[in-house]
């Protein structure tokens, strides 16, 4: 119990330091050293063997994807394609429904197979223009994007997300497992998130808050503003093709995400060449800047994910797993499995890591008890989608960094939509599963 408290204090320390605007990588190192020291682990050995291993493994897995995603996002931005898509959204649904539009767009990208960080890069310049047009506070951009790409869409049956594929290997299910439960949970998550964000928007209106750009935001909007004044924005439907091509290359042709992003970049260069290669934009400087931004994001995200690798070697982590197994004789196994998936996802700072660990420990004994594998599959996916979005989550770091919003300004709204509401949905889903199945 004491070791678990140490881990929780270490994670709280991370949040406190980031709220005080301490560099996230520095805050992560302070947090992880605190956890190591007070868990009684050898400091240098744990830093090298666990922390840096987790750091390097994550960096290796995401670097190329982050770089290509950042380049595609920048090309969509400076070419005016993102602005053109934003105008299409505003004309189609009006500024009143700007946030639901961003959330649904994120969901479509993610359900189409686009990795969430890539979807975040693609959505940000669109969201920025939409939010300015609708005069919505910038601090809500991370919550709108995060709700779209991190929450309800993962709960849907048939999702191509890895977290929906992992249970099939342990349980013998398919990605369509327990479809009714998945549809209801995703719908509830979406509705509650929209209700909360609508409440925040109305509150901001009463306080007289609106879109307030900083220097970097003005620079991001300046070029597309000029293109709009000149009437040089690309056709909005053509602007959607590079983004749609990513999902097609991933799902229809079954290719790697890096190749899919390259296809999107090439198509963008072909379609928008007049705005990219006629001297209006300094492409060398632009690509240099975006590479630096991608590198910073990759390092910061990796430094946070490394904390989860250290947590997994602490005595508290094994204690949590053992406690879950021990309680399965007195508590409904589905409740145990849901709680285990959520807690382990929080400790690992990863939905995939938490669900995989829960399945490895509990799948065989629970299946032997006669627990429905389809229900286990869907409850695991839903429950692990909650505590995985605590402050030490790589996805949370990414969406805040890409949006240019600090933890202090943006995390509380992300917490509501990606943690608190998902916990409510998971709690409701467990008795609902008993009724449906």
């Amino acid at each position: 119990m004491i070791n678990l408290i140490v881990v929780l204090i270490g994670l709280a320390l991370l949040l406190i330091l980031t709220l005080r605007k301490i560099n996230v990588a520095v805050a992560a190192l302070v947090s992880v050293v605190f956890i190591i020291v007070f868990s009684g682990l050898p400091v240098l050995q744990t830093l090298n063997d666990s922390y840096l291993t987790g750091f390097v493994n994550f960096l290796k897995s995401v670097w190329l994807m982050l770089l290509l995603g950042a380049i595609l996002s920048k090309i969509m931005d400076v070419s005016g394609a993102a602005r053109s898509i934003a105008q299409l959204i505003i004309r189609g649904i009006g500024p009143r429904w700007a946030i639901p539009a961003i959330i649904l767009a994120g969901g479509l990208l993610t359900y189409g197979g686009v990795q969430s960080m890539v979807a975040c890069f693609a959505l940000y310049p669109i969201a920025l223009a939409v939010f300015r047009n609708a005069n919505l506070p910038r601090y809500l951009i991370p919550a709108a994007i995060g709700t779209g790409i991190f929450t309800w869409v993962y709960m849907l049956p048939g999702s191509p997300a890895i977290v929906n594929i992992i249970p099939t290997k342990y349980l013998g299910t398919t990605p369509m497992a327990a479809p009714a439960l998945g549809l209801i949970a995703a719908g509830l998550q979406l509705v509650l998130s929209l209700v909360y964000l609508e409440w925040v928007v109305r509150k901001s209106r009463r306080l007289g808050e609106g879109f307030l750009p900083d220097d970097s935001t003005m620079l991001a909007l300046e070029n597309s503003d000029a293109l709009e004044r000149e009437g040089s924005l690309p056709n909005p439907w053509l602007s959607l093709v590079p983004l749609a091509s990513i999902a097609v290359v991933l799902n229809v042709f079954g290719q790697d995400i890096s190749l899919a992003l390259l296809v999107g970049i090439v198509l963008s260069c072909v379609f928008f060449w007049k705005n990219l290669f006629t001297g209006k934009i300094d492409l060398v400087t632009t690509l240099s800047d975006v590479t630096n931004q991608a590198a910073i994001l990759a390092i910061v995200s990796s430094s946070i994910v490394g904390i989860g690798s250290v947590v997994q070697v602490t005595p508290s982590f094994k204690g949590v797993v053992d406690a879950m197994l021990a309680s399965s004789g007195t508590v409904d196994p589905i409740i145990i499995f849901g709680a285990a998936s959520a807690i382990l996802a929080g400790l690992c700072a990863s939905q995939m890591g938490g669900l995989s660990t829960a399945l490895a420990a509990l799948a065989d004994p629970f299946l032997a008890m006669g627990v429905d594998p389809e229900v286990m599959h869907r409850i695991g996916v839903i429950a692990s989608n909650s505590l995985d979005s605590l402050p030490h989550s790589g996805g949370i770091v990414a969406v805040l960094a890409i949006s240019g919003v600090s933890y202090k300004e943006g995390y509380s709204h992300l917490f509501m939509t990606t943690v608190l509401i998902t916990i409510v949905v998971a709690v409701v889903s467990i008795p609902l599963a008993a009724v449906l199945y």
Side-chain angles (χ1 to χ4, degrees), residues 69-358:
I71 291 172
L72 175 61
S73 171
K74 197 65 175 178
I75 289 175
M76 294 287 291
D77 182 15
V78 299
S79 67
R83 173 66 62 85
S84 189
I85 294 171
Q87 288 187 345
L88 180 66
I89 292 172
I90 292 296
R91 284 198 302 268
I93 65 170
R96 173 70 179 78
W97 304 104
I99 287 180
I102 295 300
I103 291 173
L104 291 173
L108 287 173
L109 282 173
T110 308
Y111 197 79
V114 178
Q115 207 273 348
S116 57
M117 282 195 183
V118 175
C120 183
F121 274 117
L123 283 171
Y124 172 63
I126 299 171
L128 190 62
V130 168
F131 268 59
R132 183 176 69 166
N133 201 310
N135 195 29
L136 294 171
R138 270 196 321 118
Y139 59 71
L140 285 178
I141 291 180
I145 294 176
T147 301
I149 64 179
F150 292 144
T151 62
W152 66 282
V153 71
Y154 282 164
M155 301 176 187
L156 288 171
S159 169
I162 296 174
V163 73
N164 193 42
I165 306 300
I166 289 172
T168 65
K169 304 181 185 305
Y170 290 90
L171 303 171
T173 51
T174 72
M176 288 297 296
L181 179 61
L183 286 169
I184 294 171
L188 181 61
Q189 173 73 39
L190 183 57
V191 168
L192 291 178
S193 298
L194 289 172
V195 168
Y196 170 74
L197 291 172
E198 174 65 17
W199 175 78
V200 176
V201 168
R202 291 188 177 187
K203 180 181 177 182
S204 70
R205 300 285 195 212
R206 290 196 300 271
L207 295 174
E209 296 176 343
F211 187 87
L212 186 62
D214 57 11
D215 291 341
S216 61
T217 303
M218 289 303 297
L219 286 173
L221 292 167
E222 188 176 272
N223 182 72
S224 53
D225 283 344
L227 291 172
E228 185 174 356
R229 287 193 298 270
E230 297 167 5
S232 300
L233 292 178
N235 179 280
W237 297 106
L238 190 64
S239 299
L240 288 167
V241 173
L243 298 181
S245 72
I246 299 173
V248 172
V249 173
L250 279 171
N251 298 300
V252 178
F253 297 101
Q255 298 299 311
D256 184 79
I257 181 63
S258 297
L259 180 59
L261 287 168
L262 279 173
V263 171
I265 290 169
V266 170
L267 289 176
S268 297
C269 291
V270 171
F271 292 159
F272 316 134
W273 68 272
K274 284 185 178 179
N275 289 344
L276 292 173
F277 302 112
T278 54
K280 297 179 181 179
I281 299 165
D282 184 350
L283 277 180
V284 174
T285 301
T286 298
L287 290 176
S288 176
D289 290 343
V290 79
T291 300
N292 290 337
Q293 291 166 8
I296 292 171
L297 174 59
I299 295 298
V300 169
S301 299
S302 299
S303 68
I304 293 290
V305 171
I307 298 175
S309 299
V310 171
V311 170
Q312 291 177 60
V313 299
T314 60
S316 60
F317 189 82
K318 186 177 185 303
V320 168
V321 176
D322 291 343
M324 295 294 178
L325 280 169
S327 60
S328 61
T330 56
V331 181
D332 184 341
I334 288 297
I335 296 176
I336 295 298
F337 186 68
S341 300
I343 292 170
L344 293 172
L347 292 176
C348 294
S350 163
Q351 185 180 10
M352 292 182 293
L355 183 55
S356 297
T357 305

Side-chain angles (χ1 to χ4, degrees), residues 6-15 17-18 24-36 41 46-47 50-55 58 300-314 317 346-350 391-394 397 407:
V6 166
V7 171
L8 295 177
I9 293 174
L11 298 179
L13 182 61
L14 171 68
L15 179 58
L17 291 175
T18 51
V24 177
V26 174
L29 186 59
V30 172
S31 173
V32 81
V33 169
F34 177 90
I35 292 171
I36 291 170
L41 299 170
T46 307
L47 283 173
S50 297
Y51 182 67
L52 290 180
T53 297
F55 181 105
F58 183 77
V300 169
S301 299
S302 299
S303 68
I304 293 290
V305 171
I307 298 175
S309 299
V310 171
V311 170
Q312 291 177 60
V313 299
T314 60
F317 189 82
L347 292 176
C348 294
S350 163
H392 61 309
S393 161
V397 176
Y407 269 84

